[in-house]
Amino acid sequence: MFDSLSGRLERLGTSLRSRARLTDADLEEALAEVRGALLEADVELSVVRAFLDAVRERVRGENVAQSLTPGQHVIKAVHDQLIEVLGGTTLKVTYASKPPTVVLLAGLQGAGKTTTAAKLASWFKQQGRQPYLVGTDLQRPAAVEQLRVLGSQIGVEVYSESTDPVSVARAGVAEALRLGRDVVIIDTAGRLAIDEALMAEVREISAATTPHYTFLVIDAVTGQDAVHTARAFHDSLELSGIIVTKLDYDARGGAVLSARGVVGRPVVFASTGEKLADFDLFHPDRMASRILGMGDILSLIEQAERTMDPEVMADSAQRMMSGAFTLDDFMAQLNQIRKMGSLGGLMRLMPGMTKDMRKAAENVDDGELNKIEAIIHSMTRRERREPQIIDGSRRSRIAKGSGSSVAAVNQLLKQFELMKKTMKQMSGGGMPQLPGGMGKMAQMASRAAAQRGDALPPGFEAMASGMRGAAPTVTPSTGGKGKKKKGGRVTPPKNR
Amino acid sequence: MIVWWIVLAVIALGVIALVVRSRRQRRLSHVVLEPERAPMPEVLVTQIAPRPEIDDSPGLDRRLASSRSIFERVRSISVHGALAPEQLDVVEEVLLRSDVGVATTTALLEELRANGAPDGVAAAIRAALMSSFSADRSVRTSADEGRVPVWLFVGVNGVGKTTTIGKLAWHETQAGKSVVLAAGDTFRAAASDQLQLWADRTGADIVRATEGADPGSVVHDALGRAQAHHADLVLADTAGRRVNNANLLDELAKIRRVADREPGQVVETFLVLDATTGQNALSQAQEFLAAAEVTGIVLTKLDGTARGGIVVAIERELGIPVKFVGVGERAKDLLAFEPAAFVDSLLSA
């Protein structure tokens, strides 16, 4: 439904693309698109206005870089401004000299406070701390029970009693002190910002426990209301930061920008899934790309750094480009992909993917990888090196050995050949019509290969800013031959 | 096909590998020079950005009052009541701030421009909004002969599904019906406990299973129980789920199939929607409509500052009617949706 902002700006017309300089009229036209994109991303109206003013200043104050089209220039300014607003201030979590460090969580109902409390506790635990959870949500039925269950999952004790929230909080901190815990996380009941009685109560909790950190927990799908909520909580509680939840949803998360804009405090943590491990420090640059509908290449690199063997991957990718590529290499690559997590999860982070492609990728069944692996494992060493020797009887043997069918083996071999051919073509400079993101990616690969050992290849930025919503239709690359028959479907699955 | 996804991933990872490798090399050469990690500063917030002023956005009437003199002049010129740009700006702002969304706002403004505003802008925009709420919002409570009517509740995490079920259970039991609750949220910790408390409060029957159990089987058991006890209605809870994951939606479709099988019959599938939700609500509605044949919306948390304007877009584009609104934490705080009152509250945002 949403187009990436870059796509919108590219479509603004040739005037914006071909001209060397931006006229004021061009800029206003572009900013109107930016306004639309930000509003669709749920950024609050007055925050949008302030933001556009800042971008206008920024664009006017800069010379258009030679390498950028005016459209890209605007995107870059928007991106930079987003990063500045989202990450202008950072919060380093430090610990009180006299433990325990008290952390108070507040927010609307359903923002995810209880889950966040447990995730935060788990995060502190990873930092080598001994967290302690205090459940003061005595209002929602079974909220404390939920906290207890989560606490037991991460091995953190939970304190609560059925008196009243303020005394539970006070007693909880005292108990943590007695037990020698150095971080106390206080979960509070969800409350509406306009509910005076409940806001007074959370103020009392805050006064009774003098938290070192007070975090507002806000939901990434929140709309225009984010500013009211953030402002009201900030006025009441003097927030030290914001925690954003549900970043795994397909919402753009403009609420983060709104809340950040009003409160003027950094977004510290981000929660990206239902599992307790899906929680980390917030990265403004990634959020900026997300609001603009770009991929998240940095997360990908980070994930790669943790898990993959760059030597293997770089070598096999290079061999793939050069055409000297065997099924063994293919296997090695499969294993690396596995290590990085699910294929779908991986593709989600990739820039240059359209929403449809992203969605299709989400639903890629990793079981397919197992099948492919089984087939390749059932080949002899020689077959893997020289797949052309695989004749009919070998095929049926492989099919039997891998518990699949001859058709499946055929399909794999055919696709492997096709892939090899395409890759060779690509590295030979002749870019076949690959799906948008893929073509870009291949370009990148060859460029990066040319200058390896360098820092982040400059192409990355160009890719991030140059992406144009990717190809509207995912055209299959038919290699040199064209007209594949039934087995040769090469289009990534569209929406299912 | 999958192979192409792999190729895509391989190329990407190849590039990334190069980056990672170069990073590692750089790190190695720096490793000797890097000093001991400096102690963390005691300051909590290093710098506070200035707070931008947020307009207080008073109600439409008051805002329009300021431009009323212009409007009077405009009306005296044109019988059809052509609209001044600044008036349209005010309307646009009010609508955008209510989360109605850019596309719908633009469409409404077009209508306004086309039709003019003979009785004033407020009345015209009110009429345009009212015409968005034209769907049938009656609630089905009876199933075919011999089958148990089921209301299924779906939605993303934290919108208030369980609470809504509790409130509806109260309403229905108050009305003298015997109700069975199916604690189909077997994912969120203690979700069943939460529903159990509502069952205790309202005297409804409840079928629950352990955490991680198959929600379909919970619903199935609830149906069996409802049939055995000749219950009037089954309210089936489901776990909150994001809509950009087909597996989760498939699971939901399965739950719905189970609930719709003899002796059950799904007579209403309610999408529970949080009024604070922004544009994402539209994609939520689309996906849940496709996966679970949503027949109505329950708009919760309308007692806050959020207006829930996105339901305008949902009803206009997808034709899903809002049937209930949640306006508080008490059981009574669930009301039948009234378009007129809702539109008024949107415009007073």
Side-chain angles (χ1 to χ4, degrees):
Chain A
M1 179 182 357
F2 300 122
D3 259 318
S4 76
L5 177 61
S6 33
R8 297 171 66 132
L9 287 180
E10 291 295 333
R11 272 199 310 275
L12 264 186
T14 44
S15 70
L16 197 55
R17 221 176 303 155
S18 57
R19 242 176 256 166
R21 296 196 36 156
L22 275 172
T23 64
D24 278 359
D26 285 343
L27 179 59
E28 289 311 315
E29 196 186 356
L31 287 180
E33 287 292 323
V34 176
R35 177 179 185 265
L38 291 175
L39 284 170
E40 276 178 11
D42 286 326
V43 183
E44 203 268 346
L45 194 58
S46 42
V47 175
V48 170
R49 281 186 195 138
F51 185 85
L52 290 182
D53 288 342
V55 171
R56 196 175 287 120
E57 282 307 301
R58 199 179 265 273
V59 174
R60 285 203 182 127
E62 283 172 3
N63 288 319
V64 178
Q66 292 272 309
S67 55
L68 297 178
T69 66
Q72 285 171 337
H73 185 67
V74 174
I75 293 173
K76 189 171 171 299
V78 171
H79 192 257
D80 291 352
Q81 181 63 26
L82 274 176
I83 290 180
E84 195 178 305
V85 177
L86 287 171
T89 58
T90 50
L91 183 138
K92 267 223 165 70
V93 177
T94 58
Y95 301 93
S97 48
K98 234 200 267 162
T101 307
V102 179
V103 179
L104 181 68
L105 300 180
L108 297 181
Q109 290 93 338
K113 282 176 301 304
T114 304
T115 311
T116 300
K119 287 178 171 178
L120 196 56
S122 162
W123 186 85
F124 277 122
K125 216 175 165 193
Q126 273 170 22
Q127 307 291 310
R129 299 281 152 172
Q130 285 138 14
Y132 193 62
L133 286 163
V134 178
T136 69
D137 184 356
L138 309 175
Q139 199 161 15
R140 176 161 63 95
V144 172
E145 193 50 39
Q146 185 185 355
L147 194 62
R148 281 191 205 284
V149 173
L150 294 171
S152 74
Q153 281 172 16
I154 53 171
V156 173
E157 285 157 88
V158 176
Y159 179 87
S160 193
E161 52 185 78
S162 49
T163 49
D164 67 287
V166 181
S167 31
V168 171
R170 196 181 288 125
V173 174
E175 185 66 9
L177 192 62
R178 195 181 67 79
L179 293 168
R181 301 285 187 271
D182 51 10
V183 179
V184 181
I185 299 161
I186 304 173
D187 177 31
T188 63
R191 63 199 76 224
L192 290 165
I194 51 166
D195 190 328
E196 264 316 310
L198 280 175
M199 289 307 273
E201 180 200 272
V202 75
R203 271 198 299 275
E204 261 180 74
I205 294 178
S206 177
T209 56
T210 54
H212 301 85
Y213 295 97
T214 305
F215 291 129
L216 173 68
V217 180
I218 196 163
D219 183 329
V221 300
T222 312
Q224 300 279 314
D225 189 52
V227 288
H228 295 287
T229 303
R231 190 171 41 182
F233 275 95
H234 193 37
D235 287 348
S236 262
L237 286 175
E238 267 300 308
L239 301 172
S240 34
I242 298 166
I243 297 179
V244 55
T245 60
K246 303 185 197 171
L247 267 182
D248 53 328
Y249 281 47
D250 55 354
R252 285 289 169 74
V256 180
L257 192 66
S258 311
R260 177 69 181 77
V262 190
V263 177
R265 296 292 160 101
V267 183
V268 189
F269 294 99
S271 160
T272 54
E274 290 179 321
K275 300 205 187 69
L276 288 167
D278 299 329
F279 187 78
D280 208 347
L281 290 169
F282 175 79
H283 298 283
D285 42 347
R286 299 177 193 175
M287 192 65 218
S289 297
R290 181 190 178 105
I291 290 176
L292 292 178
M294 298 170 170
D296 190 354
I297 194 80
L298 282 171
S299 294
L300 203 56
I301 290 180
E302 222 161 67
Q303 207 174 344
E305 244 173 346
R306 278 201 299 268
T307 52
M308 94 176 172
D309 183 345
E311 301 300 326
V312 173
M313 207 63 209
D315 286 350
S316 63
Q318 252 174 0
R319 257 214 296 286
M320 187 156 147
M321 305 302 289
S322 69
F325 180 64
T326 65
L327 281 162
D328 276 325
D329 293 324
F330 190 57
M331 280 288 295
Q333 288 171 351
L334 276 190
N335 285 330
Q336 292 292 329
I337 293 174
R338 282 264 176 81
K339 271 202 223 162
M340 301 256 314
S342 75
L343 193 51
L346 212 59
M347 303 317 288
R348 198 155 49 101
L349 297 174
M350 211 84 89
M353 306 271 287
T354 57
K355 191 178 165 163
D356 282 345
M357 284 169 78
R358 230 174 267 269
K359 209 154 155 197
E362 278 262 331
N363 303 325
V364 166
D365 178 9
D366 279 54
E368 293 266 339
L369 294 186
N370 292 333
K371 282 185 209 150
I372 292 175
E373 203 171 4
I375 293 177
I376 299 179
H377 270 309
S378 302
M379 298 177 182
T380 66
R381 228 173 268 163
R382 188 164 162 229
E383 282 167 348
R384 274 179 247 168
R385 271 200 310 272
E386 306 163 40
Q388 61 274 17
I389 65 163
I390 302 177
D391 55 18
S393 81
R394 282 178 194 264
R395 272 168 216 235
S396 64
R397 192 205 73 236
I398 293 166
K400 257 184 217 146
S402 57
S404 59
S405 63
V406 176
V409 177
N410 282 341
Q411 192 180 345
L412 175 69
L413 288 173
K414 202 173 278 167
Q415 284 175 346
F416 178 72
E417 273 312 306
L418 190 60
M419 174 169 121
K420 235 169 108 172
K421 222 173 273 166
T422 317
M423 291 304 138
K424 218 189 224 157
Q425 245 184 4
M426 233 189 290
S427 50
M431 274 301 192
Q433 295 138 339
L434 284 172
M438 218 159 132
K440 271 277 181 319
M441 201 71 81
Q443 248 167 10
M444 291 278 324
S446 42
R447 211 183 310 170
Q451 39 165 270
R452 67 218 212 76
D454 212 316
L456 196 70
F460 266 99
E461 203 180 324
M463 175 167 66
S465 52
M467 276 172 352
R468 49 217 68 177
T473 48
V474 183
T475 41
S477 153
T478 41
K481 279 262 163 67
K483 276 165 222 129
K484 290 288 150 217
K485 38 184 202 226
K486 54 176 169 38
R489 243 185 78 213
V490 291
T491 325
K494 288 204 76 173
N495 239 343
R496 40 175 287 197
Chain B
M1 284 281 295
I2 183 113
V3 172
W4 290 104
W5 287 114
I6 297 170
V7 172
L8 195 46
V10 166
I11 299 174
L13 293 185
V15 177
I16 289 164
L18 293 174
V19 177
V20 171
R21 188 153 63 172
S22 67
R23 270 188 170 195
R24 273 190 196 163
Q25 276 161 358
R26 249 186 307 158
R27 198 167 306 151
L28 277 181
S29 59
H30 281 272
V31 112
V32 198
L33 301 172
E34 219 161 331
E36 278 289 294
R37 183 178 282 190
M40 284 191 173
E42 276 296 310
V43 197
L44 300 185
V45 180
T46 43
Q47 182 207 336
I48 297 167
R51 271 200 238 178
E53 277 302 309
I54 301 293
D55 312 32
D56 261 329
S57 58
L60 181 65
D61 277 339
R62 232 184 320 150
R63 293 190 63 116
L64 284 176
S66 57
S67 58
R68 192 146 287 162
S69 57
I70 308 167
F71 178 57
E72 292 298 333
R73 250 184 296 154
V74 170
R75 199 157 53 160
S76 64
I77 297 166
S78 159
V79 216
H80 302 292
L83 297 164
E86 51 267 44
Q87 292 173 328
L88 290 177
D89 284 350
V90 175
V91 173
E92 182 191 26
E93 185 170 336
V94 168
L95 291 178
L96 285 177
R97 277 188 197 280
S98 314
D99 284 317
V100 171
V102 180
T104 308
T105 300
T106 314
L108 285 167
L109 289 179
E110 279 307 315
E111 277 176 37
L112 210 55
R113 277 200 198 95
N115 302 337
D119 303 317
V121 180
I125 193 67
R126 196 169 181 279
L129 280 168
M130 282 302 286
S131 71
S132 308
F133 292 108
S134 51
D136 169 30
R137 54 197 87 247
S138 59
V139 179
R140 275 187 73 184
T141 51
S142 58
D144 296 345
E145 189 56 43
R147 293 174 81 173
V148 185
V150 180
W151 288 0
L152 186 65
F153 294 80
V154 303
V156 300
N157 313 67
V159 288
K161 281 181 296 301
T162 309
T163 305
T164 298
I165 292 177
K167 289 173 179 177
L168 281 172
W170 183 83
H171 275 270
E172 297 301 318
T173 48
Q174 284 298 100
K177 289 195 178 151
S178 61
V179 175
V180 177
L181 306 180
D185 183 355
T186 53
F187 183 83
R188 178 164 61 93
S192 301
D193 294 335
Q194 188 180 345
L195 200 61
Q196 177 79 56
L197 288 172
W198 278 107
D200 297 345
R201 269 185 214 174
T202 59
D205 211 348
I206 181 169
V207 173
R208 52 182 293 185
T210 52
E211 220 169 277
D214 172 32
S217 71
V218 177
V219 173
H220 180 263
D221 290 354
L223 287 175
R225 187 170 186 117
Q227 196 185 29
H229 290 75
H230 304 288
D232 300 313
L233 188 61
V234 172
L235 305 183
D237 196 7
T238 62
R241 64 198 70 223
R242 62 196 175 97
V243 293
N244 50 345
N245 182 316
N247 293 337
L248 292 177
L249 289 179
D250 285 348
E251 185 197 80
L252 187 64
K254 185 191 150 200
I255 297 173
R256 194 188 185 285
R257 279 198 301 279
V258 171
D260 207 26
R261 203 177 292 153
E262 296 266 3
Q265 185 184 4
V266 177
V267 293
E268 291 283 356
T269 303
F270 290 113
L271 168 63
V272 183
L273 209 60
D274 179 334
T276 59
T277 310
Q279 301 309 300
N280 189 244
L282 197 52
S283 92
Q284 289 175 20
Q286 262 162 351
E287 299 295 339
F288 280 115
L289 181 63
E293 299 164 44
V294 172
T295 57
I297 286 173
V298 181
L299 188 62
T300 61
K301 307 183 198 175
L302 257 188
D303 46 334
T305 42
R307 301 293 157 193
I310 191 64
V311 297
V312 178
I314 294 175
E315 191 149 340
R316 279 171 74 99
E317 284 185 29
L318 304 173
I320 310 174
V322 185
K323 294 192 173 171
F324 295 103
V325 292
V327 292
E329 307 235 325
R330 295 166 307 164
K332 284 179 207 151
D333 298 331
L334 191 84
L335 312 168
F337 177 75
E338 284 171 33
F342 179 75
V343 166
D344 285 345
S345 94
L346 266 194
L347 293 181
S348 67

